[in-house]
């Protein structure tokens, strides 16, 4: 059975419910706040494990990060490569507006303490054809892409958050599957609309499968042969959008490994992402395969 090895971020999420996203210079009072478990890496591992894929999660937390490791373990992921460092656990400040849309600020903490040895231990668990999943929330991404590719792993990279310097420096030509939302896609391609972004990326990286999530409009994929597929999102009431993209990615990859069918993977990803937005929080809002 092929596996997903996720060298992924782990964050404590500080979530504030606000009437709207604050403007520069504005002070707002939150109607509620809470601490949740998240990090794009953790959310994606939990989603893939709940979609019944075999998942190994590698990453780093601080001394206060045990609830994150426990959540991964409980979802069924292998956590033997989650290291505890003498640095604060990464955290995210998540501002949720009245429409359920979020704005996120990251403080990487232990997510930026990964070493080459950590990468090699994680990649060493893989066999050719396994997926190495990465997000742009940990350090040494370029090295992870190069080493994973050299080991015969399929590289799946979620370019979130987008960062122009990383776009110049990362060996994206070695990536097999690129996950972006509209903002990230426009950042990588330097253009604004979905069709144009997919066309530019296809021309620049002909072997790439690009998958773009578009919120309520579902997801688009552009294959290495240049075919563009679109899967609409099933209607669900929006409570909070946090982790919807991560949920999509976990379910998408699990289905792609299971059936090899891109259309089925897009459908399941969209279904899972839509269910995630109907509930509050990050990791706690991710459904199980059985539920769908
Ligand atoms: O995608 C949602 C996630 O982004 C940030 O990584 C937060 O930790 C949150 O859980």
């Amino acid at each position: 059975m092929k596996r997903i090895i996720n060298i992924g971020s782990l964050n404590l999420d500080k979530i504030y419910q606000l009437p709207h996203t604050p403007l520069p210079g504005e002070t707002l009072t939150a109607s509620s706040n809470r601490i949740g478990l998240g990090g794009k890496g953790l959310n994606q591992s939990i989603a893939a494990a709940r979609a019944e894929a075999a998942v190994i999660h590698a990453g780093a937390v601080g001394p206060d990060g045990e609830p994150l490791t426990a959540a991964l373990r409980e979802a069924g992921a292998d956590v033997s490569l989650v290291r505890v460092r003498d640095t604060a656990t990464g955290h995210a400040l998540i501002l949720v507006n009245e429409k359920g849309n979020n704005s996120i600020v990251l403080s990487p903490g232990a997510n930026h303490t990964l070493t080459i040895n950590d990468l090699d231990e994680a990649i060493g668990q893989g066999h050719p054809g396994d997926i190495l999943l990465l997000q742009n929330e940990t350090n040494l991404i370029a090295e992870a892409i190069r080493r994973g590719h050299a080991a015969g792993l399929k590289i799946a990279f979620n370019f979130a958050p987008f960062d122009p310097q990383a776009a110049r420096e990362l060996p994206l030509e070695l990536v097999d599957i690129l996950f972006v939302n509209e903002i990230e896609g426009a950042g990588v391609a330097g253009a604004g609309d979905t069709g144009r972004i997919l066309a530019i990326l296809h021309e620049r990286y002909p072997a790439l499968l690009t998958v773009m999530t578009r919120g309520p409009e579902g997801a688009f994929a552009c294959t290495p042969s240049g075919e563009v597929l679109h899967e609409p999102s099933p209607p669900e009431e929006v409570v909070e959008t946090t982790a919807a993209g991560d949920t999509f990615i976990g379910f998408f990859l699990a289905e792609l490994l299971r059936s090899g069918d891109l259309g089925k993977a897009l459908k399941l990803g969209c279904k899972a992402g839509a269910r995630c937005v109907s509930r509050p929080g990050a990791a706690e809002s991710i459904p199980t395969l059985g539920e769908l």
Side-chain angles (χ1 to χ4, degrees):
M1 185 186 190
K2 297 267 176 263
R3 293 180 303 179
I4 297 171
I5 299 163
N6 184 3
I7 304 181
S9 55
L10 302 113
N11 289 331
L12 293 168
D13 287 349
K14 303 180 182 183
I15 306 166
Y16 295 83
Q17 187 68 48
L18 298 170
H20 57 261
T21 305
L23 300 167
E26 185 180 25
T27 302
L28 281 177
T29 301
S31 59
S32 67
N33 74 81
R34 65 189 194 283
I35 296 193
L37 307 179
K40 295 185 199 304
L42 173 138
N43 297 335
Q44 291 171 22
S45 277
I46 289 186
R50 290 190 182 158
E52 297 178 9
V55 180
I56 298 176
H57 191 100
V61 293
D64 54 345
E66 175 51 27
L68 295 162
T69 315
L72 282 168
R73 193 184 297 114
E74 198 184 314
D78 177 332
V79 293
S80 53
L81 294 177
V82 177
R83 304 294 178 217
V84 180
R85 298 270 148 77
D86 194 15
T87 306
T89 299
H91 75 258
L93 180 66
I94 304 187
L95 307 180
V96 181
N97 68 20
E98 63 183 352
K99 293 188 179 135
N101 295 318
N102 64 49
S103 306
I104 302 180
V105 179
L106 294 171
S107 176
N111 291 310
H112 276 192
T113 66
L114 297 183
T115 63
I116 294 288
N117 190 46
D118 294 329
L119 304 185
D120 286 345
E121 280 180 337
I123 291 164
Q125 296 289 312
H127 298 103
D130 284 348
I131 289 177
L132 177 65
L133 175 59
L134 304 160
Q135 313 77 32
N136 198 29
E137 289 190 345
T138 53
N139 61 326
L140 297 178
I141 295 291
E143 258 325 294
I145 293 175
R146 285 195 194 96
R147 284 166 189 250
H149 175 77
L153 307 186
K154 276 188 185 305
I155 311 297
F157 178 49
N158 176 207
F159 206 155
F162 174 73
D163 155 11
Q165 192 180 334
R168 286 190 294 275
E169 291 173 0
L170 293 177
L172 293 181
E173 69 283 1
L174 303 182
V175 170
D176 296 279
I177 308 175
L178 178 71
F179 293 104
V180 286
N181 66 15
E182 267 179 293
I183 296 175
E184 295 144 8
V188 186
D193 104 338
T194 301
R196 189 86 193 100
I197 292 168
L198 294 177
I200 290 171
L201 293 179
H202 177 61
E203 201 183 309
R204 208 182 286 165
Y205 309 110
L208 186 67
L209 169 63
T210 303
V211 181
M212 186 189 288
T213 50
R214 289 283 313 265
E217 288 165 44
F220 291 77
C222 180
T223 70
S225 66
E227 189 191 359
V228 175
L229 284 78
H230 174 222
E231 178 65 32
S233 194
E236 287 269 9
E237 192 204 344
V238 178
V239 173
E240 190 187 321
T241 57
T242 309
D246 302 329
T247 301
F248 171 91
I249 290 171
F251 276 77
F252 174 92
L253 288 177
E255 184 56 42
L256 200 63
L257 278 185
R258 193 160 33 234
S259 66
D261 184 324
L262 178 59
K264 274 173 90 173
L266 284 170
K267 203 179 215 35
L268 186 66
C270 286
K271 207 169 176 185
R275 186 61 57 88
C276 164
V277 304
S278 71
R279 313 195 266 229
E284 68 266 37
S285 65
I286 300 170
T288 61
L289 187 61
E291 246 180 275
L292 299 175

